[in-house]
Amino acid sequence: MNLIDSLMTCFPIKSADFHSESQKQLGLDFIHTYIHQNGEYDIFSKIVSHRMAQIQTCENYSGNLHQIFTSDIANQICGHSLLEGLPEIYLDIEKLAISLFGNILYCWAEYESYKIINRVEQYQNNRIAALNKVHTCAPNEFISEIVMHIENDERLFMTHHYNKPMLLSDAIVLTNIETFIKEQHWYEMLFYLELSQKGQHFIMLQGDDNGLATITSTALIQGWELRDNWLTFDPFFQNSRWQVDVNEKKLNALRQTGVFSDALSFTFHPSSILEFESQLVDTLIDYKAICEVLRLTVSGPLAKRSFFLYQCQKMIAQALCERGYDIVFTIIEQPTMILFYNALNQDSHLMPSYINTGYQDVNENGCITYKGFWLTKCINEGFKKNSYKDYKKKIVVMRKVMRETVNV
């Protein structure tokens, strides 16, 4: 009996909740060894892509990867039917992944975390920690910065996801995995993790009791020159399921920023989000004034995350203004953020702080994802004028207004 047979004997399929951490570690060790001995570094993406095609052939599923891979048809196919054209051991590894972690997607996420932790342990053992002192700030103090090329940053930082300091690129990837992928189930990010390993990022730090800088928030910032990587223009975020939400008032606000030409028509009534965003691109004249901000993470104790979310929005708005970014393309799924922006927009005499241009209930579960823009000068002023107490009050009021509107 080989090792994979032994592992499968020990770990019956569909019993992921009953496995110990040491058993899961053993399974990840096996997968890691197989990948490196055979150079098959894309094994997870191959399995997921293959199963995705099979599932969608059987039924026309909508939703994100989590929704699709937890469907009844996925449970019938994954770990059972052959992966035609792929090595036989791929099916065994898929069975192992399902047994240990419930599905192949969560196993993939765990494996990516596993690789980072192994790398951190290696450079800790190689005394990199001694050569690169952990970045510091005063206990409980919040500081933030935009780092241009995180892949070149040699500082070490603490995170809320591991008890040893790590390089900034590792810290950001691990934070994205733990918050977006494992907590919020946005497994699509697994195909694009390299975007979290390099480039321009916002970071917010808080000093711990020892004055060591702990990362509490991060975000990816991509300028127009990197638009080929923008999630805004990804086919998934421009398909026909997105409801376009554009009117004359919103177009007027965009025109007044000076970022778009007068050709951005007041009378334009786009039939799709793709049509609208195509016109935006065609009328763009100030390329340096726009960027896309994605992967805005907040990590730490649950009781503090609401404040961290307020604080990081406040700090990133100021930082973006200072960098000269007037308009920021965003994709937001956090309801409290939208509620606060709607509250800021209540004053009809002021320019809006946020413009929603499209939305979709991606998984048909009542959780709406919005596409839109931060107008950074306005949103920066909004955060300056509103304390955390004000922020919470406005969210409560807007939530009440929404409930009353629904009940009318």
Short mmCIF file of all heavy atoms in Angstrom, two decimals, residues 257 317 320-321 324-327 352-353 374-384:
data_model
loop_
_atom_site.label_atom_id
_atom_site.label_comp_id
_atom_site.label_asym_id
_atom_site.label_seq_id
_atom_site.Cartn_x
_atom_site.Cartn_y
_atom_site.Cartn_z
N THR A 257 -15.36 66.02 -12.18
CA THR A 257 -14.03 65.73 -11.65
C THR A 257 -12.93 66.14 -12.62
O THR A 257 -11.77 66.29 -12.22
CB THR A 257 -13.88 64.22 -11.36
OG1 THR A 257 -13.98 63.49 -12.59
CG2 THR A 257 -14.93 63.74 -10.38
N ALA A 317 -8.43 56.76 2.23
CA ALA A 317 -8.99 57.89 1.50
C ALA A 317 -8.00 59.05 1.49
O ALA A 317 -7.77 59.70 0.45
CB ALA A 317 -10.32 58.31 2.12
N LEU A 320 -4.90 58.14 -0.73
CA LEU A 320 -5.19 58.19 -2.16
C LEU A 320 -5.27 59.63 -2.65
O LEU A 320 -4.82 59.95 -3.75
CB LEU A 320 -6.49 57.44 -2.46
CG LEU A 320 -6.43 55.92 -2.28
CD1 LEU A 320 -7.83 55.33 -2.31
CD2 LEU A 320 -5.55 55.28 -3.36
N CYS A 321 -5.86 60.50 -1.82
CA CYS A 321 -5.91 61.93 -2.16
C CYS A 321 -4.50 62.50 -2.30
O CYS A 321 -4.20 63.23 -3.26
CB CYS A 321 -6.67 62.70 -1.09
SG CYS A 321 -8.44 62.66 -1.28
N GLY A 324 -2.88 61.79 -5.50
CA GLY A 324 -3.46 62.39 -6.69
C GLY A 324 -4.48 61.53 -7.40
O GLY A 324 -4.86 61.81 -8.55
N TYR A 325 -4.97 60.50 -6.73
CA TYR A 325 -6.02 59.67 -7.32
C TYR A 325 -7.37 60.30 -6.99
O TYR A 325 -7.81 60.30 -5.84
CB TYR A 325 -5.96 58.24 -6.76
CG TYR A 325 -4.76 57.45 -7.19
CD1 TYR A 325 -3.89 56.90 -6.25
CD2 TYR A 325 -4.49 57.23 -8.54
CE1 TYR A 325 -2.79 56.15 -6.64
CE2 TYR A 325 -3.39 56.49 -8.95
CZ TYR A 325 -2.54 55.95 -7.98
OH TYR A 325 -1.45 55.21 -8.38
N ASP A 326 -8.05 60.85 -8.00
CA ASP A 326 -9.34 61.52 -7.78
C ASP A 326 -10.51 60.55 -7.81
O ASP A 326 -11.50 60.74 -7.10
CB ASP A 326 -9.55 62.60 -8.84
CG ASP A 326 -8.54 63.73 -8.72
OD1 ASP A 326 -8.10 64.00 -7.59
OD2 ASP A 326 -8.18 64.32 -9.76
N ILE A 327 -10.41 59.55 -8.67
CA ILE A 327 -11.49 58.56 -8.82
C ILE A 327 -10.90 57.17 -8.64
O ILE A 327 -9.89 56.82 -9.27
CB ILE A 327 -12.18 58.69 -10.19
CG1 ILE A 327 -12.94 60.02 -10.26
CG2 ILE A 327 -13.12 57.52 -10.42
CD1 ILE A 327 -13.68 60.22 -11.56
N PRO A 352 -21.11 63.81 -4.59
CA PRO A 352 -21.19 62.52 -3.91
C PRO A 352 -19.80 62.01 -3.54
O PRO A 352 -18.80 62.32 -4.19
CB PRO A 352 -21.85 61.62 -4.95
CG PRO A 352 -21.57 62.27 -6.27
CD PRO A 352 -21.56 63.74 -6.00
N SER A 353 -19.76 61.24 -2.46
CA SER A 353 -18.51 60.62 -2.03
C SER A 353 -18.30 59.28 -2.74
O SER A 353 -17.18 58.84 -2.95
CB SER A 353 -18.53 60.40 -0.52
OG SER A 353 -18.63 61.62 0.16
N TRP A 374 -15.11 55.55 -5.68
CA TRP A 374 -14.89 56.54 -4.63
C TRP A 374 -14.47 57.83 -5.31
O TRP A 374 -13.59 57.83 -6.17
CB TRP A 374 -13.74 56.12 -3.72
CG TRP A 374 -14.01 55.00 -2.78
CD1 TRP A 374 -15.20 54.59 -2.29
CD2 TRP A 374 -13.01 54.16 -2.19
NE1 TRP A 374 -15.02 53.53 -1.44
CE2 TRP A 374 -13.70 53.25 -1.35
CE3 TRP A 374 -11.63 54.08 -2.28
CZ2 TRP A 374 -13.03 52.26 -0.62
CZ3 TRP A 374 -10.96 53.11 -1.56
CH2 TRP A 374 -11.65 52.21 -0.72
N LEU A 375 -15.07 58.94 -4.94
CA LEU A 375 -14.56 60.26 -5.29
C LEU A 375 -13.75 60.71 -4.09
O LEU A 375 -14.31 61.15 -3.07
CB LEU A 375 -15.71 61.23 -5.61
CG LEU A 375 -16.25 61.15 -7.05
CD1 LEU A 375 -16.89 59.80 -7.33
CD2 LEU A 375 -17.23 62.27 -7.33
N THR A 376 -12.45 60.56 -4.19
CA THR A 376 -11.60 60.55 -2.99
C THR A 376 -11.60 61.87 -2.22
O THR A 376 -11.53 61.85 -0.99
CB THR A 376 -10.15 60.18 -3.36
OG1 THR A 376 -9.67 61.09 -4.35
CG2 THR A 376 -10.08 58.76 -3.89
N LYS A 377 -11.66 62.99 -2.92
CA LYS A 377 -11.65 64.27 -2.20
C LYS A 377 -12.88 64.38 -1.30
O LYS A 377 -12.78 64.83 -0.15
CB LYS A 377 -11.59 65.43 -3.17
CG LYS A 377 -10.28 65.52 -3.95
CD LYS A 377 -10.30 66.64 -4.97
CE LYS A 377 -9.01 66.67 -5.77
NZ LYS A 377 -9.03 67.72 -6.82
N CYS A 378 -14.02 63.96 -1.82
CA CYS A 378 -15.26 64.05 -1.06
C CYS A 378 -15.31 63.02 0.06
O CYS A 378 -15.73 63.33 1.19
CB CYS A 378 -16.46 63.88 -1.99
SG CYS A 378 -16.59 65.14 -3.27
N ILE A 379 -14.89 61.81 -0.25
CA ILE A 379 -14.96 60.77 0.78
C ILE A 379 -13.93 61.04 1.87
O ILE A 379 -14.17 60.74 3.06
CB ILE A 379 -14.77 59.38 0.14
CG1 ILE A 379 -15.45 58.32 1.01
CG2 ILE A 379 -13.32 59.01 -0.09
CD1 ILE A 379 -15.60 56.97 0.33
N ASN A 380 -12.80 61.64 1.51
CA ASN A 380 -11.81 62.01 2.51
C ASN A 380 -12.38 63.06 3.47
O ASN A 380 -12.22 62.95 4.70
CB ASN A 380 -10.55 62.54 1.81
CG ASN A 380 -9.43 62.85 2.78
OD1 ASN A 380 -9.21 62.13 3.74
ND2 ASN A 380 -8.71 63.93 2.52
N GLU A 381 -13.07 64.06 2.90
CA GLU A 381 -13.70 65.08 3.75
C GLU A 381 -14.78 64.46 4.63
O GLU A 381 -14.95 64.83 5.79
CB GLU A 381 -14.30 66.18 2.88
CG GLU A 381 -13.28 67.11 2.27
CD GLU A 381 -12.42 67.80 3.32
OE1 GLU A 381 -12.99 68.31 4.32
OE2 GLU A 381 -11.18 67.80 3.17
N GLY A 382 -15.50 63.48 4.06
CA GLY A 382 -16.55 62.82 4.82
C GLY A 382 -16.02 62.11 6.05
O GLY A 382 -16.61 62.19 7.13
N PHE A 383 -14.89 61.44 5.90
CA PHE A 383 -14.30 60.74 7.05
C PHE A 383 -13.69 61.72 8.05
O PHE A 383 -13.70 61.47 9.26
CB PHE A 383 -13.27 59.72 6.59
CG PHE A 383 -13.88 58.39 6.21
CD1 PHE A 383 -14.07 58.05 4.89
CD2 PHE A 383 -14.29 57.50 7.19
CE1 PHE A 383 -14.65 56.83 4.54
CE2 PHE A 383 -14.85 56.28 6.87
CZ PHE A 383 -15.05 55.94 5.52
N LYS A 384 -13.16 62.83 7.56
CA LYS A 384 -12.62 63.83 8.48
C LYS A 384 -13.70 64.41 9.38
O LYS A 384 -13.47 64.72 10.54
CB LYS A 384 -11.95 64.96 7.69
CG LYS A 384 -10.60 64.61 7.09
CD LYS A 384 -10.01 65.81 6.36
CE LYS A 384 -8.64 65.50 5.80
NZ LYS A 384 -8.07 66.67 5.06
#
